[in-house]
Amino acid sequence: MVLARRLLNLKESGTLKAMAKAKELQSMGVNVIQLDVGEPDFPTPENIVRAAKTALDSGYTHYTPSPGIPELREAIALKLREENRLNVSRDNIVVTPGSKQAIFYAVMALVDEGDEVIIPTPAWPSYMEIVTVAGGRAREVPSTTDFSVNTEGIKEAINERTKLIIINSPNNPTGYVMSEKEVSELADIVADHDVFVLSDEIYEKLVYERQHISIGSLPGMDEKTITINGFSKAYAMTGWRLGYVAAPKPIASAINKLQQHSASCPSSFAQKAALEALKPETPVRPMVEEFRRRRDFICGALEKLHFFRFSKPLGAFYVFPDISATNMKSGKFCDLLLEKAGVSTTPGEDFGGYDSHIRISYANSMENLMEAVSRIERVLESLP
Ligand SMILES: Cc1ncc(COP(=O)(O)O)c(C=O)c1O
């Protein structure tokens, strides 16, 4: 075998695969509405783009310090202290090329061969695969029916091999936002055991109902929490590839070493743009309000179809309906929607084996969402 053993069980990214299928059809001239992509359709706000242009024009195009430029790490630490109540300084922060890379580094830094990582599901597929690459074992703990986190199940799954629990609130793919009670119950469990929690807060700003709470802000949790965030979702900056990790200093330092020997540093001018993004003048609110409008539309429209069962998402930009009424598995139903309706969605099986669900991203224009819903309705009407 040519490949290293650690790659033998690695699965392709289901979300990127769905996106690639849609793009291929589009390149053949097929009109495909993409409800598969996990990225805001808005342009990056102007003030951010301007900051990057200024950086480029002034020749800011070389390597930067490996953990990121000091002023950006400082600004991130300040944001985390003020908005998230985390007890962090610049030395706890490493800026990375995307938050996915930050998660990769954090898992590589903590998980040894044979260690277990608890992942409440439904969950973003990359968590499971990154744990596999690190030689660990992903222990999936299915959530309860409304997608709230199954804290009892997590407690039962912890054993002497457990190293890490990965949480993601607001959640991809369900849009669930953990309540204060759930966050505090989970913090109690972590406090009672020799485990860390990795809290992926990339959708933190996209909340419509509840308040987002960072688990790292709870008493005693600063030494046991690795907080992940980034610029992709809140600032419509997916292509800029910029994320960050806030971790206890020894972990942040190990992550920095991993970065030194892989990416070297994040992109220089993108870091200048990120510094601008964090300023209060960046228009995040209008984007969040537009997502809320789309969420209300898509949930209302799906309800009217009387076909899908779903919990109304409280955050992010996804809805994760149960498609059991189609009598089809998620992959097959997604293929049908793509082929017959030109609507691209993502199979639920990729999010921890949720074969009777699909993920619909409503990060698309209202016009496209309306057209997609009527196309989906036509496909449902044609089912036997
Ligand atoms: C839950 C979650 N975490 C992390 C990421 C990675 O984001 P990025 O690497 O663009 O910062 C994504 C992207 O889809 C995501 O959905």
Side-chain angles (χ1 to χ4, degrees):
M1 176 40 92
V2 179
L3 294 177
R5 270 196 308 278
R6 82 178 80 84
L7 290 193
L8 294 183
N9 294 323
L10 193 66
K11 290 194 209 124
E12 208 181 328
S13 163
T15 48
L16 297 185
K17 200 164 103 190
M19 211 163 119
K21 260 193 203 175
K23 292 262 180 251
E24 194 188 329
L25 282 177
Q26 280 169 344
S27 73
M28 287 154 56
V30 182
N31 175 329
V32 177
I33 301 178
Q34 283 194 261
L35 306 186
D36 57 83
V37 278
E39 68 174 342
D41 54 316
F42 307 116
T44 303
E46 251 174 59
N47 61 321
I48 301 175
V49 174
R50 225 178 303 123
K53 282 184 180 162
T54 306
L56 283 169
D57 287 343
S58 64
Y60 200 75
T61 54
H62 297 94
Y63 290 135
T64 72
S66 161
I69 53 177
E71 60 271 39
L72 178 59
R73 292 167 72 210
E74 204 72 75
I76 290 169
L78 179 68
K79 175 251 181 271
L80 292 174
R81 283 196 302 272
E82 287 185 347
E83 291 182 13
N84 305 81
R85 310 206 169 286
L86 297 188
N87 178 19
V88 289
S89 70
R90 177 172 105 182
D91 296 339
N92 298 103
I93 311 297
V94 181
V95 185
T96 56
S99 70
K100 195 182 259 188
Q101 192 71 15
I103 297 165
F104 194 86
Y105 291 150
V107 171
M108 281 303 193
L110 286 175
V111 175
D112 258 326
E113 194 75 32
D115 283 350
E116 291 192 5
V117 177
I118 293 177
I119 304 175
T121 57
W124 184 56
S126 292
Y127 302 137
M128 287 68 117
E129 301 311 317
I130 291 172
V131 168
T132 302
V133 173
R137 178 168 169 242
R139 284 279 304 261
E140 296 174 18
V141 176
S143 64
T144 46
T145 42
D146 70 344
F147 297 132
S148 54
V149 174
N150 179 357
T151 40
E152 272 312 303
I154 290 177
K155 211 192 289 183
E156 280 164 25
I158 293 184
N159 61 45
E160 66 285 353
R161 303 239 56 156
T162 309
K163 190 66 185 282
L164 188 64
I165 302 172
I166 300 183
I167 57 168
N168 171 219
S169 175
N171 179 273
N172 174 4
T174 66
Y176 185 76
V177 177
M178 285 174 81
S179 68
E180 199 172 342
K181 181 167 170 282
E182 277 170 289
V183 175
S184 130
E185 278 174 12
L186 189 64
D188 288 345
I189 295 172
V190 172
D192 286 346
H193 295 87
D194 193 14
V195 297
F196 288 90
V197 60
L198 183 152
S199 179
D200 178 354
E201 306 186 2
I202 185 84
Y203 294 101
E204 147 202 60
K205 295 216 182 278
L206 308 181
V207 284
Y208 318 114
E209 309 289 333
R210 275 183 183 155
Q211 210 193 328
H212 165 77
I213 298 161
S214 293
I215 193 166
S217 67
L218 273 64
M221 286 300 289
D222 52 347
E223 285 306 310
K224 298 191 111 184
T225 307
I226 295 106
T227 304
I228 304 284
N229 209 326
F231 295 86
S232 286
K233 316 288 177 171
Y235 305 104
M237 289 176 72
T238 45
W240 298 70
R241 309 311 302 129
L242 220 56
Y244 56 87
V245 48
K249 281 179 197 161
I251 300 176
S253 159
I255 286 175
N256 183 41
K257 280 191 233 164
L258 280 169
Q259 175 138 291
Q260 286 175 347
H261 295 296
S262 50
S264 294
C265 64
S267 147
S268 55
F269 49 91
Q271 290 185 69
K272 289 285 189 187
L275 192 58
E276 175 68 27
L278 288 174
K279 292 186 179 160
E281 47 270 39
T282 303
V284 175
R285 205 69 243 158
M287 294 193 270
V288 177
E289 285 316 311
E290 180 57 21
F291 281 132
R292 180 200 298 276
R293 218 163 68 85
R294 296 172 184 182
R295 176 202 63 156
D296 291 345
F297 165 74
I298 196 90
C299 289
L302 291 181
E303 244 162 47
K304 275 193 210 131
L305 293 180
H306 297 297
F307 209 83
F308 303 109
R309 280 187 295 121
F310 63 95
S311 296
K312 193 169 183 182
L314 308 174
F317 39 60
Y318 309 104
V319 57
F320 198 57
D322 182 316
I323 53 138
S324 306
T326 61
N327 286 323
M328 266 183 251
K329 295 223 187 276
S330 60
K332 198 149 176 258
F333 185 58
C334 288
D335 283 346
L336 184 80
L337 287 182
L338 185 60
E339 283 153 24
K340 295 264 185 271
V343 175
S344 172
T345 53
T346 313
E349 62 181 301
D350 296 322
F351 299 91
Y354 283 74
D355 228 352
S356 52
H357 291 69
I358 61 168
R359 187 190 75 173
I360 295 175
S361 161
Y362 50 87
N364 208 324
S365 70
M366 201 58 137
E367 194 189 349
N368 279 344
L369 291 179
M370 285 178 187
E371 171 62 19
V373 168
S374 57
R375 290 188 192 183
I376 292 173
E377 189 170 13
R378 266 178 263 139
V379 170
L380 293 179
E381 281 164 4
S382 72
L383 287 181

